[in-house]
Structures are given as C-alpha cells and as structure tokens.
Amino acid sequence: MSMKTFVKVNQMLSVAVVAAGLFACNCEKKSCQPIQEEAWGQLPSGDSVKLFTLTSKTGIEVKITTYGGAVTSIKTPDNKGQMGNIVLGFDSLAPYVKGTPYFGALIGRFGNRIAQGRFTLNDSTYQLATNDGANHLHGGIKGFDKVVWTANPTTSCCGAPALELTYVSKDGEEGYPGNMSVKVVYALEDNDLKITYEATTDKACPVNLTNHAYYNLSGTGTILDHELTIDALEYTPVDSTLIPTGELVKVEGTPFDFIKPFAIGARIDQVPGGYDHNFVLTPVAADSLRFAGRLTDPKSGRTMEIMTTEPGLQFYSGNFLDGTLQTGDWSLVKYSGLCLETQHFPDSPNKANFPSVILNPGEKYTSTTIMKFGVK
C-alpha cells in the first residue's frame, strides 16, 4: 500500500470512528481527527485507568494512558509505507502496574537524579526517597509515572487532536515541599508530537519534567545501528553512581561527540556501562525552541527530530534492559531501546553552576518538546 493510499484509508477509518460515537474534537479552524477513549483496567486501589488514541491527519497514531501519563505506542510509516510501533510499551495495563523502567511515562517532580536524595533550599534541607542506590531518581518511589492523571481530550491551537493531563502533587509528596499543580498536553499535529508542560506551586520547589519514552525506530532488534545527532558541544560527566561531577566537558574527540551523525554502536564500548549522560544543548534565547537532536534508522528509513526549550538532553542507551520484559515475542534485552529525555541537568538543586530548577510561588514552570517524525 502506498503512503497516499494509507493516509486516505486511515482518514476514512477515522470518519467511521466518529460515526461510531467515540469522542470527536470540535474545531472551527480546520477538520481534525477523532480521539478514541477506552477503559483500560483498574488499579488495586480501585482507581480506573483509561487509554486514549490520537490519530493525525497524516496517519500517525499515538496511544496514551492515564496511568503515569505514559505513551504506550507511536505508530509511524517506514520507507515502504508500512506502519510500525517505534516505542517500547505494552497493550495492557498489568505490565505497567507490575513495573517497567519508566516506559513512556511522564516523570516528576524531578526527572533524573538528585545526589543522596537531598537538597537545601531557603535554609531548609529536604530528604527525598533514595530509590536508585544512594540517590533519588525520577521523582521517587511513587513519582508522576505511577499516579493516575485526570484526562481531558481537546484540540491544539491549530486544531490537532490533543490530550490534556492534570495532576496535583500534595505538599510533602515524596519529600518535596509545596502543593504543585501540573498540566501536560500531548498534541499530535500532522507528523509532530508536541508535549507542553506547565506547573505552579505554593512553596519554592525544584521541578524538572520530562517524558521517558524508549525509542526503537525499527520496532525490533537493538538501536546500535541507529544514527544519532545531538546539538551539544559539551556534556556533563558523571561519577560511578551517575551523578554529574559538576564539570562541563567538551565532546570533541570523545565518544560523546554526536555533532555529526554517528551510529550508536560505533563507540559504545568506549563508554563504561553505555550512554546515560546529559548533553548541554547549544544555547538559544530563553524559552525558545532549539534543535536538540535527530535519530535515523538506516533499515526502516524512519527519522525523528527533537526540538525543545530545555537546556539539556539525556541520552540513555537502554543499558539496564536485561530480557526480563517482553512485548509480544520480542524480548527486551540490552540496547533494545533508547531514551532522549529533554530536561534540565541532573542534580541541579545541588549544582549552583547548572541552570536553576527552582520554581517559586507566583511563577509558572513551562517547557515544550516536539518530536518530528519522518522517513527517508
């Protein structure tokens, strides 16, 4: 089937979905695709979980669950027009509840690591959960990836299908100060998945929100032959527990140099443990979108370009996947997927030379990341 034929058929199916009585967005600017909503199970607590399917006018499909705000599937065409899922995930709730390494999840209050789970702010010291050895990781034992978000199907400003997710993190949750209200919007605009984050608080608190999708543009095998570009002249080296030392080191002449596209597997053996490092993106004006990186799969021809307002990009090469998780007949072994997490730098609350992550009362945290899907 040609790509044009696929898109036409997909649009016809979308009309049928609307006729079936499923949620259809209301947009005056231009016609938009429906958002499908379905019950997706119940947690032991009794909370109900939903799954939403967004389909763009070009045929790209994204599935998002209210459990952890996780992206469970992204289907895009390859260079033969065949649709395939490019993120690691599951088609039922149970594996997520049992536990995954943050597959597709929203991460907060603080994405990445905080040394010793401790920081001092306004003369008060806060102790967080230490759920990664001696350190705090991705919001703690029950971070934003393990809560049920409130969902509101809507449209973006340009009329594309969008899903608004909200959550209120209470004062003291996982050790963090202040009541924090968070809103995340996923919008599927043609070939782009746009994620916008907002947060407010009634007490000063660090915040660093991101999405933890694992990408494999082939939809099978490993990501070692994927070619990666990162627009960063520096990275933040880490100690043995993956906490940044505080230095900013030039990537030139090192295995961390992705200024030009490099196959991920070409130099990974030179990085003990594999890639799990923050890259310092080329600076732009505050709150402006910047090119962060590009991922290309030579086999399928699929590409993904990342734009973000964030100053950093965490490249994680799936080093801790060990084959214990399986989706279909695919055993998720080491390097089965990679993460490109747009973020502020790890351990920023304890590094005065890193960009600030402190949100104060009366201020609004905002962040935007766009994944642009394509094909060669």
Side-chain angles (χ1 to χ4, degrees), residues 291-310:
F291 169 74
R294 182 182 296 106
L295 187 66
T296 302
D297 173 33
K299 288 186 294 187
S300 68
R302 292 188 180 99
T303 65
M304 181 179 73
E305 186 173 294
I306 300 177
M307 307 288 293
T308 188
T309 57
E310 289 295 297

Side-chain angles (χ1 to χ4, degrees), residues 226-277:
H226 284 35
E227 294 176 353
L228 180 63
T229 305
I230 302 178
D231 187 24
L233 298 177
E234 297 175 314
Y235 77 105
T236 53
V238 295
D239 65 17
S240 61
T241 67
L242 299 176
I243 294 294
T245 63
E247 303 169 275
L248 304 183
V249 174
K250 299 291 185 183
V251 301
E252 185 178 6
T254 77
F256 300 92
D257 188 349
F258 289 96
I259 292 295
K260 294 182 178 179
F262 245 101
I264 290 168
R267 300 169 298 178
I268 200 167
D269 290 342
Q270 301 175 40
V271 183
Y275 293 101
D276 196 357
H277 298 77

Side-chain angles (χ1 to χ4, degrees), residues 109 142-144 147-150 165-174 178-184 198-202:
R109 292 187 190 187
K142 188 178 180 181
F144 289 179
V147 303
V148 178
W149 293 68
T150 300
L165 299 175
T166 55
Y167 176 68
V168 177
S169 177
K170 295 181 179 179
D171 186 18
E173 184 173 296
E174 293 299 309
N179 296 292
M180 181 174 289
S181 297
V182 182
K183 180 172 74 173
V184 179
E198 294 181 3
T200 57
T201 183
D202 59 9

Side-chain angles (χ1 to χ4, degrees), residues 29 46 62 83 113 152 215 221-222 230 247 262 286 297 361 372:
K29 293 186 178 182
V62 177
M83 301 298 285
R113 294 170 175 84
N152 175 35
Y215 295 95
T222 75
I230 302 178
E247 303 169 275
F262 245 101
D297 173 33
K372 295 177 172 289

Side-chain angles (χ1 to χ4, degrees), residues 90-151:
F90 303 99
D91 57 9
S92 64
L93 175 62
Y96 292 94
V97 177
K98 185 176 180 180
T100 78
Y102 306 97
F103 281 174
L106 293 178
I107 303 298
R109 292 187 190 187
F110 194 91
N112 221 305
R113 294 170 175 84
I114 297 178
Q116 306 296 312
R118 188 182 304 120
F119 65 90
T120 299
L121 179 60
N122 296 336
D123 298 324
S124 295
T125 298
Y126 297 90
Q127 182 62 56
L128 311 174
T130 50
N131 59 322
D132 183 55
N135 303 318
H136 178 81
L137 177 66
H138 292 333
I141 296 170
K142 188 178 180 181
F144 289 179
D145 61 295
K146 297 181 182 68
V147 303
V148 178
W149 293 68
T150 300

